Amino acid sequence: MIDRNQTCGIGQDSVPYMTCLIHILEGWFGVEQLEDYLNFANYLLWVFTPLILLILPYFTIFLLYLTIIFLHIYKRKNVLKEAYSHNLWDGARKTVATLWDGHAAVWHGYEVHGMEKIPEEGPALIIFYHGAIPIDFYYFMAKIFIHKGRTCRVVADHFVFKIPGFSLLLDVFCALHGPREKCVEILRSGHLLAISPGGVREALISDETYNIIWGNRKGFAQVAIDAKVPIIPMFTQNIREGFRSLGGTRLFRWLYEKFRYPFAPMYGGFPVKLRTYLGEPIPYDPKITAEELAEKVRDRRLRTDGRTGKNTRGAC
């Protein structure tokens, strides 16, 4: 610290300019040891500058992706305008569907093979494999709404309805948690309905081998029989490579079975290629039992290679 009576002039008793400036600032702000604070700030700058320089390029890429998604939405602006003119929620659904469809195209190059198997009108029950995070089903719903103009109802786990802020989203996109009678009613009304028999347990416990975690569940088959509708099996290739779960460990499996809540941590969001395959519809057969139909759907869950048409392990 310099002497208060010392000047900043040129000569034998002069002091460096920066030291003099710090002395003046200390007087202005009424603080002492300002030089120590500045040294600490300089240290932080040296520490965080490399981190900032690493983040900035990715932030630029993020902005580019937002721009691309916006362009996807803008490309359909006339369709969105017409949707809002008819019904507020139809417009909202169309906007959200366009947003998710843009994200699907940009981040995962998402494709649906067999979209023609979804009826233009009339009911059908879609049975899908539940990934750690079923983002493929969100993309699929967006595709159906955009290209078919139809909303696909989905049966969701009870815990989803307890997540704060989710009630409006679930209501607008017609999610339900059952019971079986409600599912039958929806199908008899001519709507599409999707069910994952494995549910949250399959999301947590299944892995990259895509093993089915259905147990003895056959309620979905009884729903199809009671409603007299076809079943369309569905599977998305690479959904387990995109998102992974640690739910297969003994601790997290015990926690889920005990509390019926997915405590297991998940990770991922990797930009892998996602392809959804729709299998051949299984028509309604009044002579088949729920057990036989459930087993038939299980057997149909074979992966279809989009290039050769061959069946391989893992999908519809």
Side-chain angles (χ1 to χ4, degrees):
M1 185 65 61
I2 64 175
D3 186 350
R4 297 287 179 182
N5 297 320
Q6 196 173 21
T7 64
C8 297
I10 301 175
Q12 186 176 2
D13 295 330
S14 66
V15 295
Y17 175 77
M18 285 303 299
T19 303
C20 183
L21 179 61
I22 290 172
H23 169 61
I24 294 172
L25 291 175
E26 286 179 346
W28 280 356
F29 294 111
V31 297
E32 298 182 356
Q33 310 297 331
L34 182 60
E35 187 173 3
D36 292 337
Y37 289 114
L38 292 176
N39 288 334
F40 181 69
N42 184 57
Y43 170 76
L44 291 178
L45 184 64
W46 278 102
V47 169
F48 287 104
T49 295
L51 181 62
I52 294 172
L53 293 177
L54 288 174
I55 291 175
L56 283 177
Y58 292 100
F59 181 72
T60 302
I61 294 172
F62 173 73
L63 290 178
L64 289 173
Y65 276 124
L66 282 181
T67 303
I68 294 169
I69 291 173
F70 169 77
L71 292 176
H72 273 277
I73 296 175
Y74 188 80
K75 186 171 65 174
R76 297 188 175 97
K77 63 182 178 67
N78 291 329
V79 177
L80 295 176
K81 183 178 179 180
E82 182 181 355
Y84 275 104
S85 66
H86 287 86
N87 182 282
L88 174 64
W89 291 121
D90 277 348
R93 292 187 188 101
K94 183 76 74 173
T95 303
V96 172
T98 303
L99 175 65
W100 278 96
D101 191 54
H103 183 274
V106 171
W107 195 246
H108 293 290
Y110 182 66
E111 300 173 0
V112 176
H113 296 261
M115 181 65 84
E116 69 280 357
K117 296 166 186 174
I118 301 294
E120 297 292 336
E121 57 183 27
L125 178 61
I126 300 170
I127 300 299
F128 66 98
Y129 171 83
H130 202 305
I133 294 180
I135 194 170
D136 59 317
F137 186 74
Y138 309 153
Y139 294 158
F140 177 69
M141 285 198 301
K143 285 283 188 186
I144 288 180
F145 196 79
I146 291 172
H147 297 287
K148 298 280 186 177
R150 304 195 63 184
T151 299
C152 182
R153 276 77 170 163
V154 61
V155 176
D157 193 277
H158 286 75
F159 92 89
V160 177
F161 293 86
K162 300 177 183 178
I163 300 176
F166 265 51
S167 59
L168 179 60
L169 175 67
L170 297 170
D171 183 52
V172 170
F173 286 92
C174 307
L176 63 149
H177 54 72
R180 184 186 303 173
E181 293 76 17
K182 182 65 176 177
C183 296
V184 173
E185 178 186 341
I186 287 173
L187 290 168
R188 286 178 176 173
S189 299
H191 299 292
L192 298 173
L193 178 67
I195 297 176
S196 173
V200 176
R201 182 179 286 104
E202 188 170 75
L204 296 176
I205 299 175
S206 186
D207 53 27
E208 64 276 5
T209 63
Y210 295 93
N211 53 315
I212 294 176
I213 313 291
W214 289 5
N216 295 321
R217 292 182 176 178
K218 54 183 182 294
F220 70 93
Q222 191 61 56
V223 165
I225 292 173
D226 293 344
K228 300 180 181 181
V229 299
I231 291 179
I232 302 175
M234 167 184 158
F235 176 82
T236 300
Q237 186 182 38
N238 292 331
I239 188 60
R240 280 285 169 181
E241 281 67 35
F243 291 89
R244 294 180 179 267
S245 167
L246 300 179
T249 59
R250 182 176 298 179
L251 172 62
F252 293 120
R253 290 185 66 169
W254 178 85
L255 286 173
Y256 175 72
E257 299 297 342
K258 180 71 174 178
F259 300 102
R260 286 294 189 272
Y261 198 88
F263 292 103
M266 299 179 184
Y267 64 97
F270 307 116
V272 298
K273 178 73 174 180
L274 296 181
R275 295 184 180 91
T276 290
Y277 295 97
L278 297 171
E280 289 298 326
I282 302 172
Y284 165 68
D285 183 355
K287 299 179 181 179
I288 198 171
T289 65
E291 292 82 359
E292 293 170 338
L293 182 56
E295 189 61 33
K296 192 172 184 178
V297 175
R298 182 190 293 266
D299 291 341
R300 284 285 183 94
R301 220 219 66 169
L302 299 171
R303 179 175 299 170
T304 300
D305 189 308
R307 295 165 299 174
T308 64
K310 296 180 180 179
N311 289 333
T312 57
R313 178 176 59 82
C316 300

